[in-house]
Amino acid sequence: MSYEIDHQKLSEHIFSIIRKISVPAGLYVFLAFIIMGFSYLMAFTSIFGSIEEIAELTKDEAAFTALITESSIELILLNAGISVFMHYLLSGIYGMIKKSEYSPIIGLSTVFKELFSTKGLKVLNILIFVQIISGTISYFLNLEGFSLVAFAISILIQFLTYFAIPAIYVDNLGIRESIKFSVNTVNQKPSLMFLFMFMTYLVSMSGLLLLGIGIIFTLPINYIVAYALYLQVTQKATS
């Protein structure tokens, strides 16, 4: 499938969605960060003990380093699990984006309805699959001292699966079909897609400059751009 990007139409669509969902999406991202912070706290206390015990351990640098080394496998699994959970929660923003196209009323219920739907479960399976593949490759490469190669491969996997999640939320594609569609689409115009993704990432991360709190309003831009691009690629963008 060949496609062309109408840049003016794309930018108009992106800004239109931003105006509609920036506030509710920002509040949802803030809520997601709270959930993730609580999840990390619970996980760390289950591995290392209570907060008081962790604080006591940090006073002895050698003992704390040894404990971290001993618990490296648990920490790797923890980070992988939290990463999947975080991406899964944030993918619910697509529910807000979709609803903004036909309704001015956008609430948190829209997000959770999407997350706990069949589509949401497909997205969760893709995130787990990508994390397992990426994490396994990175783990063995890091063991051999190829940390930069591991990082590059991780980025490449994320790059190639860029449209997999929008394909599920918008068109309800299957897991295999969505990944295949994403890989084929990105491979057709890799330079253009990389430019879009890179610029979007820079814009979304610019929120960190505003005392860090701005990230809750700029992070949703990643999902908005991916959604609008997907509609352009599949030629479903509104006029």
Side-chain angles (χ1 to χ4, degrees), residues 53-186:
E53 290 175 318
I54 295 174
E56 190 66 30
L57 281 170
T58 56
K59 296 178 181 179
D60 187 340
E61 185 176 345
F64 185 67
T65 302
L67 182 59
I68 291 293
T69 302
E70 292 174 4
S71 307
S72 59
I73 299 298
E74 290 90 340
L75 290 174
I76 289 172
L77 293 175
L78 168 63
N79 284 324
I82 294 292
S83 176
V84 168
F85 186 41
M86 183 67 173
H87 282 92
Y88 175 61
L89 283 179
L90 292 178
S91 74
I93 293 173
Y94 285 112
M96 285 186 173
I97 296 171
K98 285 172 56 184
K99 190 168 184 180
S100 73
E101 300 277 44
Y102 61 85
S103 172
I105 302 174
I106 305 166
L108 293 181
S109 61
T110 304
V111 175
F112 293 110
K113 182 179 178 180
E114 200 77 356
L115 286 177
F116 296 114
S117 66
T118 303
K119 296 177 183 178
L121 294 178
K122 289 180 186 178
V123 167
L124 181 59
N125 284 327
I126 282 186
L127 291 171
I128 292 172
F129 173 75
V130 169
Q131 183 62 53
I132 290 174
I133 297 299
S134 177
T136 302
I137 293 174
S138 296
Y139 176 74
F140 287 109
L141 285 174
N142 280 319
L143 284 180
E144 299 298 325
F146 298 110
S147 55
L148 288 178
V149 177
F151 177 74
I153 291 177
S154 177
I155 295 297
L156 177 62
I157 292 173
Q158 296 293 328
F159 178 55
L160 291 174
T161 56
Y162 183 71
F163 289 110
I165 294 177
I168 292 176
Y169 278 131
V170 176
D171 288 324
N172 198 22
L173 294 186
I175 295 172
R176 182 181 300 178
E177 290 80 5
S178 63
I179 293 175
K180 182 179 178 181
F181 170 84
S182 182
V183 172
N184 289 339
T185 301
V186 171

Side-chain angles (χ1 to χ4, degrees), residues 14 31 36 42 64 78 98 106 108 124 170 179 187 192 196 202 205 216 221:
I14 290 171
L31 174 62
M36 297 313 300
M42 294 299 293
F64 185 67
L78 168 63
K98 285 172 56 184
I106 305 166
L108 293 181
L124 181 59
V170 176
I179 293 175
N187 276 332
L192 179 63
F196 269 117
L202 288 182
M205 289 298 105
I216 67 174
I221 293 174

Side-chain angles (χ1 to χ4, degrees), residues 185-205:
T185 301
V186 171
N187 276 332
Q188 283 190 44
K189 299 179 187 291
S191 299
L192 179 63
M193 289 301 167
F194 179 79
L195 180 62
F196 269 117
M197 295 176 204
F198 181 70
M199 294 304 296
T200 302
Y201 177 79
L202 288 182
V203 172
S204 67
M205 289 298 105

